């Protein structure tokens, strides 16, 4: 009998066997995780994303986002929900998974699904579970702040750089919970399980981030108005990096339309990120200067040559090349210096201008 089984396995494509293993893992972690929306309803995550996804998801229900991080997220949800239910019910609270947060704003019906909900005599908790690739830290937590060495509570927002979409989603959830439970104190949390990074430091932690501010009613209504009126991506790389319909060729994508704003209107989280970026830039420059003094030559490090690397340059006699080339081939080899364009326009007139265009470029 064993020989027969071995023969059958030998005849099967080994790749197909492992494909079935992965498919089974993905089926198991997603079991019982189907979210339901009634006709005309959207979720909170849809409210924060490109509105076209809602239509495309209805037209192509078989298309789904696929990533190991998503599977890890489902597994983390199973673990956390089981533990939270046990603890909350053990202290006399009421626990609910995937609680419906139903609201109607500007004629749009919203049905959010809160990962975990706990109700006590005088307060309610909303808990959103996240398991991202990594969480960046603003600064390293002192060892005595890590409970049992693995759990960080970022009570005042001093340590964690939150994903803006995660945080906004939790803020909307808190806002709706306040509407549903006006007589109780509402607490909202992001509960992470992820590797944290700061410089060379990396360690996997459980992290609890209290969401201390919800959005205002006007900000909430503005999200709804924008969803109804603006059919475009909500952030620059949403199409190319995060849209399964774009990857499948079902949507051609759309250019993100940036907006100019005054620095004074930036929220605290954005200002903190900019300060963090500038500080890291300064640290990197200091490290580079130290390395310039320490490395006397070049060295292979991480598969790449670094340090004082020998660079070969060739200088051509541009005037000789220009007069030697046939006139029709000059554009093939020559490029006008960027800092001389205005001089040429003043000297030769605007007839030499082929095109003027403005484009958004990323700069920090």
């Amino acid at each position: 009998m064993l020989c027969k089984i071995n023969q059958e396995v030998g005849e099967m494509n080994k790749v197909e066997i492992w494909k079935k293993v992965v498919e089974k893992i993905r089926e198991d972690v997603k079991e019982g995780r189907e979210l339901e929306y009634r006709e005309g309803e959207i979720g909170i995550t849809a409210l924060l994303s490109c509105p076209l996804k809602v239509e495309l998801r209805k037209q192509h229900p078989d298309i789904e986002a696929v990533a190991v991080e998503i599977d890890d997220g489902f597994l983390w949800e199973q673990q956390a929900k089981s533990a939270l239910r046990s603890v909350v019910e053990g202290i006399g609270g009421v626990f609910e998974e995937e609680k419906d947060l139903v609201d109607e704003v500007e004629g749009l019906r919203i049905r959010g699904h809160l990962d975990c909900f706990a109700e006590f005599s005088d307060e309610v908790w909303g808990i959103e579970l996240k398991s991202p690739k990594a969480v960046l830290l603003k600064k390293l937590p002192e060892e005595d702040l890590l409970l049992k060495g693995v759990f960080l509570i970022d009570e005042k927002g001093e340590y964690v750089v939150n994903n803006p979409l995660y945080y906004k989603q939790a803020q909307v959830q808190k806002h709706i919970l306040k509407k549903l439970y006006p007589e109780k104190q509402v607490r909202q949390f992001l509960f992470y399980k992820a590797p944290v990074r700061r410089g060379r430091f990396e360690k996997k932690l459980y992290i609890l981030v209290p969401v201390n501010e919800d959005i205002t009613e006007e900000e909430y209504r503005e999200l709804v108005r924008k969803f109804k009126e603006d059919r475009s991506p909500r952030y620059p790389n949403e199409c190319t990096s995060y849209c399964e319909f774009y990857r499948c060729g079902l949507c051609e994508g759309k250019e993100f339309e940036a907006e100019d704003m005054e620095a004074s209107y930036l929220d605290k989280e954005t200002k903190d990120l900019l300060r963090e970026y500038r500080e890291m830039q300064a640290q990197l420059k200091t490290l580079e200067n130290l390395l310039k003094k320490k490395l006397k030559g070049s060295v292979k490090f991480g598969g790449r040559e670094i340090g004082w690397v020998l660079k070969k340059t060739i200088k051509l006699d541009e005037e000789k090349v220009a007069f030697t080339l046939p006139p029709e081939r000059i554009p093939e080899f020559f490029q006008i210096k960027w800092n001389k364009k205005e001089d040429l326009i003043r000297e030769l007139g605007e007839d030499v201008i082929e095109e003027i265009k403005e484009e958004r470029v990323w700069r920090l």
Side-chain angles (χ1 to χ4, degrees), residues 119-317:
E119 183 174 5
F120 304 97
S121 59
D122 57 350
E123 62 183 62
V124 296
W125 295 0
I127 305 156
E128 189 65 21
L129 306 169
K130 300 296 182 185
S131 181
K133 291 180 183 177
V135 170
L136 298 180
L137 296 180
K138 300 173 185 176
K139 63 179 181 179
L140 290 178
E142 295 78 3
E143 193 61 36
D144 59 351
L145 284 178
L146 296 179
L147 306 181
K148 302 291 186 182
V150 296
F151 180 34
L152 171 66
I153 300 179
D154 192 7
E155 189 69 46
K156 299 178 182 178
E158 299 175 76
Y159 299 98
V160 175
V161 178
N162 290 291
N163 180 315
L165 287 179
Y166 293 170
Y167 203 81
K168 182 68 73 176
Q169 178 189 9
Q171 285 182 306
V172 174
Q173 290 171 340
K174 184 175 184 178
H175 189 72
I176 297 176
L177 277 175
K178 280 186 172 182
K179 289 183 172 184
L180 297 176
Y181 296 88
E183 75 289 354
K184 293 192 176 186
Q185 182 176 5
V186 174
R187 299 184 188 275
Q188 179 75 26
F189 304 94
L190 284 169
F191 192 17
Y192 293 99
K193 179 185 179 184
V196 298
R197 292 176 185 162
R198 170 75 187 184
R200 295 175 64 184
F201 176 86
E202 183 170 340
K203 184 175 183 177
K204 205 164 198 176
L205 293 178
Y206 300 101
I207 307 172
L208 187 69
V209 176
V211 179
N212 295 320
E213 320 87 17
D214 62 329
I215 61 172
T216 65
E217 181 67 18
E218 181 53 39
E219 289 171 330
Y220 182 39
R221 290 181 178 276
E222 180 59 28
L223 285 175
V224 171
R225 282 195 290 269
K226 193 170 182 181
F227 178 87
K228 293 165 66 176
E229 298 170 7
D230 182 2
R231 297 158 61 83
S232 66
R234 295 303 186 252
Y235 43 95
N237 57 340
E238 184 176 359
C239 295
T240 54
S241 299
Y242 297 99
C243 182
E244 58 272 26
F245 304 107
Y246 177 85
R247 284 192 290 270
C248 292
L250 297 170
C251 180
E252 62 183 13
K254 187 175 179 181
E255 192 72 25
F256 173 75
E257 295 181 4
E259 299 175 0
D260 291 319
M261 58 194 303
E262 296 292 332
S264 58
Y265 289 104
L266 295 178
D267 59 76
K268 182 180 181 299
E269 184 83 5
T270 305
K271 288 179 180 177
D272 287 345
L273 288 172
L274 286 170
R275 289 191 195 98
E276 178 73 10
Y277 182 85
R278 291 297 184 217
E279 287 174 11
M280 291 183 74
Q281 269 189 323
Q283 291 174 27
L284 286 172
K285 195 64 183 175
T286 301
L287 287 173
E288 185 180 354
N289 290 333
L290 289 172
L291 285 169
K292 282 180 178 178
K293 295 172 183 176
K294 296 287 287 183
L295 292 172
K296 306 302 181 186
S298 66
V299 63
K300 283 278 188 179
F301 190 81
R304 182 180 175 187
E305 188 178 9
I306 63 168
W308 296 103
V309 179
L310 192 63
K311 180 183 177 183
K312 182 179 179 181
T313 59
I314 300 174
K315 183 172 176 59
L316 298 178
D317 185 328

Side-chain angles (χ1 to χ4, degrees), residues 45-91:
T45 51
L47 189 63
L48 304 175
S49 305
C50 174
L52 290 176
K53 288 183 181 179
V54 174
E55 299 172 19
L56 289 166
R57 196 162 283 119
K58 289 179 182 177
Q59 297 168 14
H60 306 279
D62 54 319
I63 302 295
E64 61 177 347
V66 177
V68 175
E69 291 81 14
I70 295 174
D71 298 341
D72 284 347
F74 289 146
L75 185 58
W76 164 230
E77 285 187 21
Q78 292 174 4
Q79 295 171 330
K81 287 173 180 176
S82 175
L84 280 161
R85 179 182 293 279
S86 175
V87 172
V88 169
E89 293 181 349
I91 59 175

